[in-house]
Amino acid sequence: MTGKSKVLVSAPLAADLLARIEAEYEVIQLPSANVLRGATAGEYAEVIGWLTTVKQPVNESVLAALPALRTVSNYAVGYDNIDVAAATDRGVQICNTPGVLDDAVAALTVGAILNAVRGLSRAERFVRAGQWVAGNAFPLTTDVHGKTLGILGMGRIGKRVAPVAAALGMRVIYHNRTPIAGEVPGGAEYASRDELLATADVVVLLVPLTEATKGFIGAADFAAMKESAFFVNPARGALVDEDALIAALRSEAIAGAALDVTVVEPLPADSPLLELENVTLLPHIGSATVETRRAMAELAVDNLLDSLAGRTPKGAVNDVKAGATV
């Protein structure tokens, strides 16, 4: 017995970051693969803080089993694994790690655009399969310069993607619920959702996942896109009706797609997506760089310690005193 308050850590942390928490609290480590449920969370009833990943559902039943909990620090920018309203009602501070992964995700998004349009992954498979040395010619692809990039959800990441796309010679348009006041990076122009879908040669989805945005893109949206258009999703799989996307790719209603996320992760071995040549599939690696994951972990630890000490965490998602999401 240490006499210290208990904190649960179910995210991978470097030794020095774990030591920062251990200096003030008794740390209980839970492998991230061990998912807590309401029926199993009771053994951690004394924990006052929890540093976790999106793999852990923090729902009403889990929160009810953790009556002493004051803070949940998510090691991610997304927090769709958390029932924020239920947490706020219970006075539990929710935190995430915004900002520190924007550049990494933006870079991956640009890479995914180039991969989709220029067929880089297909070309690499072509070489490995011996097609080049056999004298076969890889099919011609298309340029990105002179094309229109449509960004659905012009937030922090979109504002980093837009100027890079513009530097590659792309026209950039975007759609938000409300147009952005003033100049937008990359000279991006506002468009209605319908106009963006009908006009863009590449549609990038950068909308946060909430209950309201599940299934944000569906069959009607793919039907509205050009047959020559590409769809890129580095955000969340559940934003998309995956069956509708598969149908659009199979029928070549759109030219192709690049996905860093899918509805079920890891992607099941029997997923129809694996059978399609016109889709690039990545294993949710938008923030997966050494530097970015370190910055995320540091912020997650800062959020946890600041919140438990009564300080306002940098990554506050909700305002417990006001009873609302920030």
Side-chain angles (χ1 to χ4, degrees):
M1 297 296 290
T2 64
K4 295 178 179 178
S5 296
K6 296 178 180 180
V7 166
L8 183 63
V9 174
S10 53
L13 291 180
D16 63 315
L17 295 179
L18 190 62
R20 286 183 56 199
I21 304 174
E22 291 174 329
E24 300 184 44
Y25 301 99
E26 178 184 341
V27 172
I28 303 170
Q29 290 187 272
L30 177 73
S32 58
N34 293 4
V35 177
L36 282 190
R37 307 294 181 189
T40 60
E43 63 180 293
Y44 304 106
E46 296 180 3
V47 301
I48 64 169
W50 187 6
L51 195 155
T52 188
T53 70
V54 293
K55 295 179 181 179
Q56 294 284 352
V58 185
N59 51 34
E60 177 63 48
S61 63
V62 171
L63 289 166
L66 303 174
L69 191 65
R70 290 163 35 199
T71 297
V72 176
S73 180
N74 229 31
Y75 174 51
V77 67
Y79 47 88
D80 44 284
N81 59 310
I82 300 174
D83 186 334
V84 177
T88 304
D89 288 344
R90 290 179 174 275
V92 178
Q93 176 72 69
I94 304 301
C95 309
N96 68 341
T97 59
V100 294
L101 71 168
D102 295 350
D103 288 327
V105 177
L108 178 127
T109 301
V110 172
I113 292 168
L114 293 172
N115 201 337
V117 177
R118 293 300 310 273
L120 304 182
S121 291
R122 288 188 289 112
E124 200 264 354
R125 292 195 296 271
F126 177 88
V127 173
R128 286 185 179 275
Q131 293 296 311
W132 192 22
V133 74
N136 296 315
F138 185 72
L140 296 179
T141 57
T142 188
D143 289 324
V144 293
H145 66 269
K147 301 300 192 298
T148 296
L149 172 66
I151 299 177
L152 286 168
M154 181 66 87
R156 293 186 308 271
I157 295 169
K159 289 175 181 176
R160 285 166 167 77
V161 171
V164 179
L168 292 171
M170 301 188 81
R171 175 195 176 210
V172 183
I173 59 177
Y174 76 95
H175 178 73
N176 286 358
R177 285 177 296 181
T178 305
I180 298 170
E183 186 176 351
V184 182
E189 309 162 36
Y190 179 81
S192 70
R193 178 171 170 148
D194 289 346
E195 180 186 359
L196 185 148
L197 292 170
T199 304
D201 298 292
V202 181
V203 175
V204 173
L205 185 58
L206 290 171
V207 174
L209 177 61
T210 66
E211 283 300 320
T213 59
K214 285 183 179 178
F216 185 79
I217 294 289
D221 301 295
F222 293 121
M225 292 168 59
K226 297 178 178 180
E227 289 186 3
S228 59
F230 295 86
F231 175 71
V232 176
N233 184 12
R236 283 288 188 270
L239 291 165
V240 179
D241 179 338
E242 205 163 88
D243 289 339
L245 172 59
I246 290 167
L249 291 168
R250 277 178 171 163
S251 67
E252 298 184 353
I254 60 173
L259 311 174
D260 187 37
V261 290
T262 50
V263 173
V264 178
E265 296 179 358
L267 187 66
D270 61 352
S271 170
L273 287 168
L274 292 167
E275 302 169 3
L276 301 172
E277 275 295 302
N278 57 347
V279 58
T280 298
L281 300 168
L282 303 175
H284 202 154
I285 55 171
S287 66
T289 69
V290 171
E291 298 87 348
T292 296
R293 290 291 172 85
R294 172 69 190 196
M296 289 170 63
E298 288 177 350
L299 180 53
V301 171
D302 288 346
N303 285 336
L304 178 74
L305 297 178
D306 284 344
S307 177
L308 292 177
R311 300 183 292 268
T312 301
K314 182 179 179 181
V317 169
N318 58 342
D319 185 337
V320 175
K321 292 180 182 178
T325 303
V326 173

